[in-house]
Amino acid sequence: MAVHTLASTTGSVSLGPATALSCRECGERFDLAPIFACQSCFGPLEAAYDLPTGDPEALRARIEAGPNNIWRYAPLLPVPEDVATKPNLNPGFTKLVKADNLARELGVTGGLHVKDDSGNPTHSFKDRVVAIALEAARAFGFTTLSCSSTGNLAGAVGAAAARAGLRSCVFIPHDLEAGKVVMAAVYGGELVGIEGTYDDVNRFCSELIGDPLGEGWGFVNVNLRPYYAEGSKTLAYEICEQLGWRLPDNLVIPIASGSQLTKIDKGLKELVGLGLVEDRPYKIFGAQAEGCSPVSRAFKDGHDVVRPVKPSTIAKSLAIGNPADGPYVLDICRRTGGAVEDVSDEQVVDAIKLLARTEGIFAETAGGVTVGVLRKLIETGQLDPAAETVVLNTGDGLKTLDAVAPTTGPTATIRPSLDAFRQAGLAG
């Protein structure tokens, strides 16, 4: 298929194996450029590649010899070959925790792992996607890095821009958790609260891109979205490598826009196509909070269209009422034999505490959603506990303290004496 050259493209750029942008609906191709929608059918664009061919063992050895971050997978990403030498936060290769205690609690016998992305530089998986978007921003000559954000992305953009020496200006809903607001602001960029929901913020950013005020701005999740989204593939790569280069049976993944889930599936299929893992069935399960569950609702109703909702949940990082990748999430979960499920805010809090109590991992509310959904999937018979399962924790609980603070605190407050300790019944 011919690749369309855009009049607005200012010369060619080199982004490693990425050769073009391809429409996910009609398949039409365009030059690598800061665009996100097909000019023929307005479908979403994604990066298309000329991936390495040849000996899978050689490619596997090359990856394993790479740095302990996402740049070990540079041959599979839309980034320049010398990406590891540039100032970047270098996220990735976070822990895959074998969660035996949690498995016993939930009755999982086939093996349970938590992919804990709270270990990234700004303590969420968003560092992965921003690292890729930053390289695209450099390639296209942008001087300001920006985004619309439910919190984690704002911090990741602020930090990455600071490290790269770029200006940042990020936009958030006005009522985010205090921890995420502070973390987004501390890097010295501009932080703008917008009165409304995330979907209102996103619409505003789309307008700004088309205005002269947005000249020279790279919005990581809008005009740089085709590159940004590819960062989530690295979760799939890492999980399989950390399992000994094999696919898990089940993955439980949170849904905000849905992009993370769709790109993890893309990453798994790429590994199979490259011969890096053996091809066998796997199931993908999507997780939402009950107060913002348009994809779960569509899945349960058997619909292909995701109807927008107004979010009302403590899981604010997942509070996207009109998820762009919702229909693709439905396709993937149905194709793989998985499901999309949701849990209440109360169940989210219980799951945060369960994960902390069993594995010493303090998850933010999105992690509470995935663990809570995992428990619900097992209880309802939708997920086989005898199959090996990976559940994602995408952020640090210190960012969402308000969710657990009302029901979490000191066991007792006593006078500084042994008698008081004994009287409190804490002596064991």
Side-chain angles (χ1 to χ4, degrees), residues 2-14:
V3 177
H4 292 264
T5 299
L6 302 173
S8 60
T9 302
T10 56
S12 61
V13 298
S14 177

Side-chain angles (χ1 to χ4, degrees), residues 171-182:
F171 302 89
I172 58 173
H174 69 286
D175 59 350
L176 282 188
E177 301 98 333
K180 290 181 179 176
V181 173
V182 171

Side-chain angles (χ1 to χ4, degrees), residues 233-404:
K233 295 194 308 181
T234 60
L235 280 160
Y237 300 156
E238 288 179 20
I239 288 169
C240 291
E241 181 179 354
Q242 290 168 324
L243 287 175
W245 291 107
R246 58 183 174 82
L247 297 168
D249 296 318
N250 302 316
L251 295 103
V252 183
I253 304 169
I255 299 171
S257 72
S259 175
Q260 183 187 72
L261 187 149
T262 62
K263 295 305 180 183
I264 287 176
D265 179 64
K266 182 181 181 182
L268 296 176
K269 290 191 291 185
E270 286 178 351
L271 292 180
V272 170
L274 291 166
L276 294 175
V277 298
E278 181 183 351
D279 188 10
R280 63 185 185 87
Y282 60 86
K283 294 182 179 181
I284 290 183
F285 297 85
Q288 292 201 293
E290 191 177 277
C292 185
S293 53
V295 186
S296 175
R297 187 174 304 170
F299 181 88
K300 293 175 182 178
D301 291 343
H303 295 163
D304 296 326
V305 175
V306 177
R307 299 182 64 179
V309 301
K310 185 175 182 180
S312 178
T313 174
I314 61 171
K316 294 183 179 180
S317 61
L318 304 183
I320 297 180
N322 189 18
D325 278 28
Y328 302 106
V329 169
L330 293 172
D331 290 343
I332 290 168
C333 291
R334 287 168 178 158
R335 170 176 57 80
T336 63
V340 187
E341 190 54 89
D342 56 81
V343 286
S344 68
D345 283 357
E346 182 180 359
Q347 290 171 311
V348 170
V349 173
D350 287 345
I352 291 172
K353 293 181 178 180
L354 172 63
L355 181 60
R357 174 171 58 80
T358 56
E359 299 298 342
I361 297 172
F362 184 19
E364 71 160 37
T365 47
V369 169
T370 53
V371 173
V373 163
L374 170 61
R375 178 161 56 183
K376 187 172 181 179
L377 290 168
I378 294 170
E379 291 173 349
T380 57
Q382 298 178 81
L383 184 146
D384 181 5
E388 183 178 53
T389 298
V390 175
V391 60
L392 270 63
N393 172 44
T394 52
D396 195 316
L398 291 175
K399 295 185 176 188
T400 55
L401 289 174
D402 288 352
V404 294

